[in-house]
Amino acid sequence: MRRSLVLASAAISALGLLTGCSADGDGSGSGRTTLSVAALEGGYGRDMYAQVIQAYKTSHPGVDVQLQISKSIEDEITPNMKAGRFPDVVVLGQGRKAALTETLIKDKALEDLTPVLKAKVPGEDKTVADKLIGGIVGNLNTNPYGTGQTYTMPMYYAPSGLFYNKGLFAQKGWKVPATWDEMFALGEKAKQEKISLFTYPTAGYLDAYFFALLADVGGEQFYTDVMTYKQGVWQTPQARQALDLTTRLLKYAAPTTVGYANEQDFTKNQQSILDNKTLFMPNGTWVVGEMKDAPRAAGFQWGLTPLPPVTVGGKRFVTTSVESVWVPAAAKNKDAAKEFVAYLYSDEAAKIFARSNAIQPIKGIASSLSGENAEFYKVYEETAVEALVGGFASTAPVEGVDIKAALFDTANSIISGDKTEDQWQAALNDASEKLRQAGG
């Protein structure tokens, strides 16, 4: 199941995770190191982790790797962490409801992994940094404090955007909209055939939509200003333009969207794309595996497109979802953990991950893909399309303030009519200003 983006409050109380030490990392005086790895079982499944760990143990006979994997990994490891028993390596990105990674970032409880970038990949001549694609580190996702230090390593990357049925468009003779005017005109045309223009699995998936849109309307500097809470940023014409377009788009949302926009029913909103009841939804490439066994309309074929440019012929952005791997600052086997993290970028490990469609941000790997994945990753090769990595800057917790919930979850209230666009803008301005004062 794809990481849930229905976010809890960003004002999470500190877990007190810097006390104590990790679980015993040594195997009963045997001289062996026991490395504990905790991983989220996402849309890519669990088999790939077992295979990578087996390959690692083969090349590192002095290390025993114990894997703990779950679809709700935070619920399993947090009690132990509160008690001072830490995993050595954690594969868990940001944007989850439990917000464990974000909490550790705010608590300054992650190990500095900058040395991993400079380390040679075990069994290879290149360093980790040599192998990574440009721009994938050094952003607010990997360097959350805006410094030169990297605390979360990019594990997998996936283009996010608007997913649709290419087969339906071919059948109807419709073109993917190249402008917002064309998008809304298509919405009217589809309405005549009882097809909705837009849906989302849960409101949190609007990160794929909003981040790209904010960069579209104001450029990368404006996007950075929003992500770092620049004073008055939500009162600018660019911010209003983004909310105007979104409010208009949400008028074309499938009527079932809000009712199914929860962790239990979100796949029903995704199913509406496969059933030709809706044209577009924001999502990431994991949706293909997640819905692989779902029924679908005849001739169905997944398609992915960036948002239409705000200016005709203008630059378009693809929000790039990055899953992370990190090491708790209180882990006992930190050196062994860093060695293992470096190995995750080896050609050997990358091939294993790729077989489960977990694509790592390693130079040249996209060219080895086939089928739908090859088509998805080609989006980065389109003219005037750029990858957009990162998200909101970390701040000290502010009680009752969650900028992501204010931006994404309010879409439900816009569709239902419970809130107006003016109220949306005011709430965003208020949340952003409080976070700015907290040190954004």
Side-chain angles (χ1 to χ4, degrees):
M1 177 175 169
R2 186 256 193 189
R3 60 189 178 98
S4 171
L5 284 171
V6 184
L7 300 177
S9 169
I12 292 177
S13 60
L15 292 175
L17 298 179
L18 286 175
T19 60
C21 60
S22 67
D24 184 8
D26 297 320
S28 304
S30 65
R32 292 173 59 81
T33 298
T34 300
L35 194 68
S36 61
V37 176
L40 173 70
E41 182 185 352
Y44 305 124
R46 60 169 56 211
D47 290 348
M48 63 182 189
Y49 288 109
Q51 294 171 26
V52 165
I53 286 172
Q54 184 56 51
Y56 185 76
K57 289 165 69 174
T58 298
S59 61
H60 293 71
V63 180
D64 181 29
V65 184
Q66 296 182 346
L67 173 66
Q68 185 177 7
I69 185 168
S70 169
K71 292 182 178 180
S72 55
I73 192 65
E74 304 96 328
D75 295 340
E76 297 189 13
I77 65 175
T78 296
N80 285 333
M81 293 170 77
K82 286 181 177 179
R85 297 187 298 272
F86 289 78
D88 295 304
V89 177
V90 182
V91 184
L92 179 68
Q94 300 185 50
R96 296 273 296 168
K97 182 177 181 179
L100 177 59
T101 304
E102 290 90 331
T103 299
L104 289 167
I105 288 171
K106 290 177 182 128
D107 290 347
K108 305 290 179 67
L110 296 185
E111 178 72 7
D112 181 2
L113 297 183
T114 311
V116 174
L117 292 169
K118 302 172 184 176
K120 282 192 175 182
V121 176
E124 299 180 11
D125 293 330
K126 293 182 179 179
T127 65
V128 173
D130 289 337
K131 300 195 71 172
L132 293 175
I133 63 172
I136 202 68
V137 293
N139 49 69
L140 288 173
N141 191 66
T142 60
N143 297 39
Y145 309 116
T147 65
Q149 279 71 49
T150 297
Y151 288 85
T152 69
M153 291 288 291
M155 189 62 185
Y156 320 116
Y157 81 127
S160 301
L162 298 179
F163 281 74
Y164 65 101
N165 177 8
K166 293 171 71 172
L168 176 62
F169 275 68
Q171 174 190 331
K172 298 288 187 182
W174 293 343
K175 293 183 179 179
V176 173
T179 67
W180 278 101
D181 285 343
E182 290 181 8
M183 175 68 82
F184 296 127
L186 179 59
E188 290 297 323
K189 188 181 297 184
K191 187 190 296 184
Q192 299 303 313
E193 303 197 28
K194 299 186 179 346
I195 300 174
S196 299
L197 177 65
F198 186 72
T199 191
Y200 46 78
T202 67
Y205 282 66
L206 288 170
D207 64 342
Y209 164 89
F210 258 118
F211 291 167
L213 180 62
L214 290 166
D216 279 350
V217 299
E220 291 167 275
Q221 184 56 56
F222 174 73
Y223 171 77
T224 300
D225 290 345
V226 173
M227 296 299 110
T228 54
Y229 320 111
K230 182 177 180 180
Q231 188 170 13
V233 70
W234 282 103
Q235 297 175 321
T236 59
Q238 295 95 326
R240 186 67 187 198
Q241 184 182 13
L243 294 178
D244 284 345
L245 285 168
T246 305
T247 299
R248 190 175 175 188
L249 178 63
L250 292 176
K251 291 178 180 178
Y252 292 94
T256 55
T257 295
V258 175
Y260 291 148
N262 57 70
E263 292 191 56
Q264 291 72 45
D265 300 317
F266 74 98
T267 55
K268 295 179 182 178
N269 281 334
Q270 295 180 166
Q271 184 66 43
S272 72
I273 301 292
L274 283 79
D275 291 339
N276 288 342
K277 294 179 180 178
T278 308
L279 294 186
F280 293 107
M281 69 171 171
N283 218 309
T285 55
W286 53 81
V287 70
V288 175
E290 196 167 60
M291 303 299 288
K292 64 179 172 33
D293 297 324
R296 59 203 62 208
F300 182 89
Q301 184 180 2
W302 285 109
L304 168 63
T305 181
L307 270 60
V310 172
T311 305
V312 177
K315 187 183 293 186
R316 305 166 80 184
F317 292 88
V318 174
T319 302
T320 300
S321 173
V322 178
E323 300 294 335
S324 303
V325 58
W326 41 268
V327 174
K332 185 173 183 179
N333 300 299
K334 289 192 281 191
D335 288 342
K338 292 173 185 177
E339 172 88 357
F340 180 76
V341 170
Y343 170 79
L344 296 178
Y345 299 92
S346 66
D347 291 345
E348 182 178 53
K351 288 176 183 177
I352 294 172
F353 287 128
R355 286 200 293 267
S356 293
N357 293 322
I359 309 305
Q360 293 176 281
I362 295 174
K363 293 173 183 174
I365 195 169
S367 63
S368 67
L369 303 178
S370 59
E372 289 169 327
N373 257 336
E375 292 299 314
F376 294 153
Y377 282 82
K378 279 182 182 176
V379 72
Y380 293 116
E381 300 173 8
E382 292 184 22
T383 304
V385 171
E386 291 193 12
L388 193 66
V389 181
F392 286 101
S394 178
T395 73
V398 180
E399 186 176 358
V401 176
D402 184 346
I403 190 73
K404 294 177 184 177
L407 180 55
F408 308 141
D409 292 2
T410 304
N412 290 333
S413 299
I414 295 294
I415 293 174
S416 67
D418 293 335
K419 288 188 179 178
T420 66
E421 183 181 351
D422 287 343
Q423 289 173 321
W424 197 2
Q425 185 175 22
L428 285 164
N429 181 65
D430 180 66
S432 183
E433 179 59 18
K434 287 177 179 176
L435 292 171
R436 183 186 70 82
Q437 293 176 5

